[in-house]
Amino acid sequence: MKKKLISLAVAGALAVPMVASAQGTNVTLFGSVQAEYATVNKDGQSSQALIGDDTGRSRWGAHVTENLGGGLKAKAHVEYGFNTGSGALGVARERWVALANDSWGEVKFGRVQSPFKDFAGGMTIDPFAYTTLQASGSGGTMTASANGLGSGAQTFVNSAARYDSPKVEGFSFAGIIMPGDSNRLDPANVISPSGSFQGSNSNSGGEDGEWDFQVAGKYEAQVAGHNMGVFGGYSRDNISTRQRTNLGLNNNEHVWRGGAMWSFQNFKLSGQYERVSNAVGAATCSNAAALGNPGTGLGDTRGQCNSAMNLGGDGHLWFAGGQYDWGNTSVIAQGGMTDANATALAAKREVSSFTVGLIHNLSRRSSLFGGYQRAMVDDRNSLFRDSNTYSVGMRHNF
């Protein structure tokens, strides 16, 4: 009995500092683990398959909130992603600190997501987001990139400040601005010890003081059991001195987005349209957006850049999808089209795709998913080919 009392006393003494340091502070550990068997069969190439998660769903992290008084809160967020099919320890996802207040909103500083990804359309209207069946990049019907201005699964923005407003009468908006010298921050833009440039010419986040930005707004309402919403946004990627010199580009990239959502009982419908001018980084192909190396017949050719615009060119994309919830199972059908205009270096390209599949919830945290996707490309070459994608997987959130 005495030993039990001593053990309890020691445990209580050790717990006191932890409770004291946590007073007024809430720390949440979270994560998600996913694995899928996915195969991409491109016409004229060998089938490429994997068991793992290279779409960026698997992650773990910590979210901290501290009440400062007067309705003001301080927040911190650190998150890492990993692939269940490999031995890699993980890659950086979101990392930021923030100040928030219910009356005026939230301001984040650090490495964040763009509003085009998690606020207005993008991944928010795609039930197959973070799977090989997703519409972003692989599906050919939403812009996606590695630099943060698109809506790709592995899209994050370095050296950024983001503001999210509270919802007032159904209206809310978000904006992001990227100051700083991002050629020192973007892993794709490596400066060698000799000072020479090594890596890609794609860039976003304020290299050469560009001050790239993105803004988006939406309105949501409920009428007689119908949930309705409309959204829109504008993204600007200013070209850098390096892009002018190395790529011969002279115009900044502009992306306009608009879309809508509707749901009633078990039915959901959503869609969006994007117009792209002078594609630079957010709307051109990247390895992260393509689920790996886009491929030229060598190495990993699962990668798909069907949603990409031609570098320096214009074009548009549209996406539409429907979902019916039948008990714990969601039946999904979606698709769309990419139209990339010709440039001096690349031919015009049209890509249409459709996807059908199921998501079955085993519980509030665990689910199974699977489906089929067909992409049809008018301009067939080493990077863009007709393809069939099959996937079946499992996900657990904690």
Side-chain angles (χ1 to χ4, degrees):
M1 184 67 180
K2 291 182 178 180
K3 290 183 178 180
K4 291 182 178 180
L5 291 174
I6 293 173
S7 299
L8 289 172
V10 172
L14 292 174
V16 168
M18 295 178 65
V19 172
S21 64
Q23 187 174 3
T25 301
N26 184 20
V27 180
T28 302
L29 299 179
F30 66 90
S32 182
V33 182
Q34 173 176 291
E36 60 176 326
Y37 172 77
T39 177
V40 178
N41 300 327
K42 289 186 178 181
D43 288 358
Q45 295 183 356
S46 300
S47 174
Q48 299 290 321
L50 86 157
I51 296 179
D53 175 24
D54 61 357
T55 60
R57 174 66 195 192
S58 298
R59 82 284 299 267
W60 61 273
H63 185 81
V64 184
T65 302
E66 180 186 10
N67 290 316
L68 302 177
L72 186 64
K73 296 179 181 179
K75 297 182 179 181
H77 187 98
V78 178
E79 186 178 317
Y80 289 87
F82 57 91
N83 189 335
T84 51
S86 74
L89 295 178
V91 295
R93 291 174 60 85
E94 290 186 83
R95 298 174 174 181
W96 48 262
V97 292
L99 287 174
N101 187 289
D102 292 340
S103 62
W104 52 258
E106 179 179 78
V107 183
K108 299 176 182 176
F109 304 94
R111 177 177 167 88
V112 301
Q113 300 192 74
S114 72
F116 269 25
K117 178 183 178 182
D118 67 350
F119 176 76
M123 306 296 274
T124 69
I125 61 173
D126 182 4
F128 282 126
Y130 299 105
T131 75
T132 309
L133 301 172
Q134 64 188 358
S136 181
S138 61
T141 49
M142 291 186 187
T143 57
S145 68
N147 67 9
L149 289 174
S151 57
Q154 301 188 54
T155 291
F156 302 94
V157 191
N158 288 333
S159 183
R162 171 169 168 167
Y163 171 71
D164 288 80
S165 76
K167 184 182 293 187
V168 179
E169 300 294 333
F171 290 94
S172 58
F173 67 93
I176 188 171
I177 191 166
M178 292 146 283
D181 190 9
S182 74
N183 64 331
R184 303 291 180 181
L185 299 172
D186 187 346
N189 290 322
V190 179
I191 304 299
S192 71
S194 64
S196 62
F197 170 74
Q198 296 177 339
S200 75
N201 289 288
S202 175
N203 180 72
S204 182
E207 190 260 346
D208 296 333
E210 293 172 12
W211 291 88
D212 301 334
F213 68 93
Q214 188 176 97
V215 292
K218 61 183 177 182
Y219 172 75
E220 299 171 295
Q222 188 176 68
V223 181
H226 296 260
N227 296 301
M228 299 175 290
V230 293
F231 58 85
Y234 169 72
S235 177
R236 180 184 176 101
D237 186 355
N238 299 314
I239 60 173
S240 66
T241 301
R242 182 176 295 115
Q243 290 167 331
R244 290 180 186 273
T245 303
N246 294 2
L247 300 178
L249 300 175
N250 295 306
N251 298 305
N252 300 322
E253 176 188 274
H254 307 273
V255 181
W256 292 265
R257 170 182 289 184
M261 306 164 289
W262 169 86
S263 66
F264 178 73
Q265 296 182 353
N266 297 337
F267 291 95
K268 296 179 182 178
L269 295 175
S270 59
Q272 74 176 34
Y273 172 84
E274 290 182 315
R275 176 66 185 176
V276 182
S277 298
N278 310 315
V280 177
T284 55
C285 184
S286 67
N287 287 358
L291 309 182
N293 190 336
T296 57
L298 301 174
D300 180 4
T301 57
R302 287 177 295 108
Q304 300 178 62
C305 291
N306 296 326
S307 65
M309 299 289 106
N310 293 322
L311 183 64
D314 304 336
H316 65 266
L317 311 93
W318 62 262
F319 164 84
Q323 177 178 331
Y324 176 73
D325 297 331
W326 183 24
N328 292 332
T329 302
S330 297
V331 182
I332 299 158
Q334 58 189 36
M337 177 176 287
T338 298
D339 188 352
N341 295 347
T343 65
L345 300 176
K348 176 180 173 62
R349 185 183 69 262
E350 289 186 2
V351 182
S352 58
S353 69
F354 67 87
T355 305
V356 292
L358 303 172
I359 298 176
H360 177 70
N361 295 312
L362 300 170
S363 67
R364 293 179 60 186
R365 297 181 178 272
S366 299
S367 60
L368 302 173
F369 60 87
Y372 165 75
Q373 182 181 93
R374 172 68 174 172
M376 295 155 286
V377 187
D378 282 353
D379 177 27
R380 296 171 177 82
N381 53 45
S382 60
L383 290 179
F384 303 95
R385 296 172 178 240
D386 290 1
S387 62
N388 297 297
T389 301
Y390 306 87
S391 177
V392 59
M394 179 178 178
R395 175 185 297 170
H396 176 76
N397 301 318
F398 62 91

